[in-house]
Amino acid sequence: VVVSPMAQYSCTDGLPGEYHLVHLGSRALGGAGMVVAEMTCTSADARITPGCAGMYDAKHVAAWKRIVDYVHTNTGAKFALQLAHAGRKGSTRKPWSEDPSDKRDYSDQPLENGNWEIIAPSPLAWSNTNAAPRAMTRADMDRVKAHFVRATLMGEEAGFDMLELHCGHGYLLSSFLTPISNQRSDEYGGSIENRLRFPLEVFEAMRGAWPKHKPMSVRI
């Protein structure tokens, strides 16, 4: 039995805390063979919301290691890290209001302030209410790939047993795969072989940095 990643939107500056120790630790104590941490973002501007988890700072490594160590010490479960970049679905609000009397769903709604630049294969907004992203340059691709590799190395430092690359749900790498959001005219758009090119570049770079004896998967 594997516990799938569950977005909790409960981090501060990407940092998992007591909530995550209890949330993920209790799943492992429940007898699962493996627990997958929620979508964890490779940079501050890769987050969906300000409450998303991160793996891009030394303090993130220490916080995640505390949870990993707890799982390994107290349970027989394996622990997996899922890495992602939100792409054109980024810079949005948490699904709920900080006002407990406001029961509206704010999923995918733009932040009221404090927005960050979002990037995607093409300058196409996720919806009519979301900001249009900037089309990625080769320099952007190199930076994003480097951030995935950095997060991979941090995941190994934190002691995770498995790594998953997120290429689903309309996030950055997913948006390269589909012609709905990838309308590029260069070698990264058009045919399925071209649309696969950047996600595969990222995967290969991560796989090269991740220990050979540890498994790696892709969510599509």
Short mmCIF file of all heavy atoms in Angstrom, two decimals, residues 16 24-25 30 40 42 83 97-98 110 118 123 132 141-142 144 164 167 174 176 192 211:
data_model
loop_
_atom_site.label_atom_id
_atom_site.label_comp_id
_atom_site.label_asym_id
_atom_site.label_seq_id
_atom_site.Cartn_x
_atom_site.Cartn_y
_atom_site.Cartn_z
N PRO A 16 8.42 22.60 5.68
CA PRO A 16 7.49 21.74 6.40
C PRO A 16 7.77 21.81 7.90
O PRO A 16 8.92 21.94 8.31
CB PRO A 16 7.80 20.34 5.84
CG PRO A 16 9.24 20.42 5.44
CD PRO A 16 9.46 21.84 4.97
N LEU A 24 2.49 13.19 7.94
CA LEU A 24 3.19 12.14 7.20
C LEU A 24 3.63 11.01 8.11
O LEU A 24 3.58 9.84 7.73
CB LEU A 24 4.38 12.75 6.45
CG LEU A 24 4.00 13.74 5.34
CD1 LEU A 24 5.20 14.57 4.90
CD2 LEU A 24 3.38 13.01 4.16
N GLY A 25 4.06 11.35 9.32
CA GLY A 25 4.47 10.32 10.26
C GLY A 25 3.33 9.39 10.63
O GLY A 25 3.51 8.17 10.74
N GLY A 30 0.62 4.08 10.22
CA GLY A 30 -0.58 3.32 9.89
C GLY A 30 -0.31 2.02 9.17
O GLY A 30 -1.22 1.22 8.95
N THR A 40 6.54 18.84 -3.96
CA THR A 40 7.56 19.69 -3.34
C THR A 40 8.27 20.45 -4.45
O THR A 40 8.74 19.86 -5.42
CB THR A 40 8.54 18.81 -2.53
OG1 THR A 40 7.79 18.09 -1.54
CG2 THR A 40 9.58 19.66 -1.84
N THR A 42 10.81 23.08 -6.54
CA THR A 42 12.26 23.15 -6.69
C THR A 42 12.83 24.56 -6.55
O THR A 42 14.04 24.74 -6.57
CB THR A 42 12.66 22.57 -8.06
OG1 THR A 42 11.93 23.26 -9.08
CG2 THR A 42 12.32 21.08 -8.13
N LEU A 83 9.02 15.83 -6.74
CA LEU A 83 9.52 17.15 -7.10
C LEU A 83 8.77 17.71 -8.31
O LEU A 83 8.45 16.97 -9.24
CB LEU A 83 11.02 17.09 -7.41
CG LEU A 83 11.92 16.76 -6.22
CD1 LEU A 83 13.37 16.64 -6.67
CD2 LEU A 83 11.79 17.83 -5.12
N SER A 97 -9.61 30.42 2.53
CA SER A 97 -9.34 31.75 3.07
C SER A 97 -8.77 31.64 4.48
O SER A 97 -9.05 30.69 5.20
CB SER A 97 -10.63 32.57 3.09
OG SER A 97 -10.45 33.79 3.78
N GLU A 98 -7.98 32.63 4.86
CA GLU A 98 -7.49 32.69 6.24
C GLU A 98 -8.62 33.06 7.19
O GLU A 98 -8.52 32.89 8.40
CB GLU A 98 -6.35 33.71 6.35
CG GLU A 98 -5.14 33.41 5.47
CD GLU A 98 -4.50 32.07 5.78
OE1 GLU A 98 -4.53 31.64 6.95
OE2 GLU A 98 -3.98 31.43 4.84
N PRO A 110 -5.64 33.66 -8.68
CA PRO A 110 -4.39 34.42 -8.52
C PRO A 110 -4.27 35.05 -7.14
O PRO A 110 -5.28 35.39 -6.50
CB PRO A 110 -4.50 35.49 -9.61
CG PRO A 110 -5.49 34.97 -10.59
CD PRO A 110 -6.46 34.15 -9.80
N ILE A 118 5.45 33.82 -13.58
CA ILE A 118 5.24 32.42 -13.93
C ILE A 118 5.71 32.17 -15.36
O ILE A 118 5.68 33.07 -16.20
CB ILE A 118 3.76 31.99 -13.75
CG1 ILE A 118 2.81 32.92 -14.51
CG2 ILE A 118 3.40 31.95 -12.27
CD1 ILE A 118 1.35 32.49 -14.42
N PRO A 123 3.01 31.32 -23.93
CA PRO A 123 2.37 32.35 -23.09
C PRO A 123 0.85 32.22 -23.05
O PRO A 123 0.11 33.14 -23.42
CB PRO A 123 2.82 33.65 -23.77
CG PRO A 123 2.96 33.29 -25.20
CD PRO A 123 3.48 31.87 -25.22
N ALA A 132 -1.18 35.37 -17.60
CA ALA A 132 -0.49 34.68 -18.70
C ALA A 132 0.98 34.50 -18.33
O ALA A 132 1.63 35.44 -17.85
CB ALA A 132 -0.61 35.48 -19.99
N MET A 141 15.06 27.14 -19.30
CA MET A 141 15.09 25.68 -19.23
C MET A 141 16.32 25.20 -18.47
O MET A 141 16.23 24.29 -17.64
CB MET A 141 15.05 25.08 -20.64
CG MET A 141 13.77 25.32 -21.39
SD MET A 141 13.83 24.52 -23.02
CE MET A 141 12.45 25.35 -23.81
N ASP A 142 17.44 25.81 -18.74
CA ASP A 142 18.67 25.43 -18.04
C ASP A 142 18.55 25.70 -16.54
O ASP A 142 18.99 24.89 -15.71
CB ASP A 142 19.86 26.19 -18.61
CG ASP A 142 20.22 25.74 -20.03
OD1 ASP A 142 19.82 24.63 -20.42
OD2 ASP A 142 20.90 26.52 -20.74
N VAL A 144 15.72 25.92 -14.72
CA VAL A 144 14.74 25.00 -14.14
C VAL A 144 15.34 23.61 -13.97
O VAL A 144 15.19 22.97 -12.93
CB VAL A 144 13.47 24.96 -15.00
CG1 VAL A 144 12.57 23.79 -14.60
CG2 VAL A 144 12.70 26.28 -14.87
N GLU A 164 10.18 10.96 -7.20
CA GLU A 164 9.19 11.01 -8.28
C GLU A 164 9.22 12.38 -8.94
O GLU A 164 9.17 13.40 -8.26
CB GLU A 164 7.78 10.72 -7.77
CG GLU A 164 6.73 10.79 -8.88
CD GLU A 164 5.40 10.15 -8.50
OE1 GLU A 164 4.54 10.85 -7.96
OE2 GLU A 164 5.25 8.94 -8.76
N CYS A 167 5.11 15.10 -13.74
CA CYS A 167 4.84 15.53 -15.12
C CYS A 167 3.34 15.47 -15.41
O CYS A 167 2.92 15.17 -16.53
CB CYS A 167 5.58 14.65 -16.12
SG CYS A 167 7.37 14.85 -16.12
N SER A 174 4.16 18.89 -17.41
CA SER A 174 2.91 18.44 -18.06
C SER A 174 2.53 19.36 -19.21
O SER A 174 2.08 18.90 -20.26
CB SER A 174 1.79 18.40 -17.02
OG SER A 174 0.54 18.18 -17.63
N PHE A 176 4.42 20.97 -21.12
CA PHE A 176 5.24 20.72 -22.31
C PHE A 176 4.69 19.53 -23.09
O PHE A 176 4.78 19.49 -24.32
CB PHE A 176 6.69 20.42 -21.91
CG PHE A 176 7.57 21.64 -21.88
CD1 PHE A 176 7.69 22.39 -20.73
CD2 PHE A 176 8.27 22.05 -23.02
CE1 PHE A 176 8.49 23.53 -20.70
CE2 PHE A 176 9.07 23.18 -23.01
CZ PHE A 176 9.17 23.92 -21.84
N ILE A 192 5.18 14.87 -30.82
CA ILE A 192 5.28 14.34 -29.47
C ILE A 192 6.74 14.15 -29.06
O ILE A 192 7.12 14.37 -27.91
CB ILE A 192 4.49 13.02 -29.32
CG1 ILE A 192 4.54 12.51 -27.87
CG2 ILE A 192 5.01 11.95 -30.28
CD1 ILE A 192 3.95 13.42 -26.84
N PRO A 211 21.03 8.49 -6.64
CA PRO A 211 21.79 7.25 -6.51
C PRO A 211 21.21 6.12 -7.35
O PRO A 211 19.99 5.92 -7.39
CB PRO A 211 21.69 6.93 -5.01
CG PRO A 211 21.51 8.27 -4.36
CD PRO A 211 20.67 9.06 -5.32
#
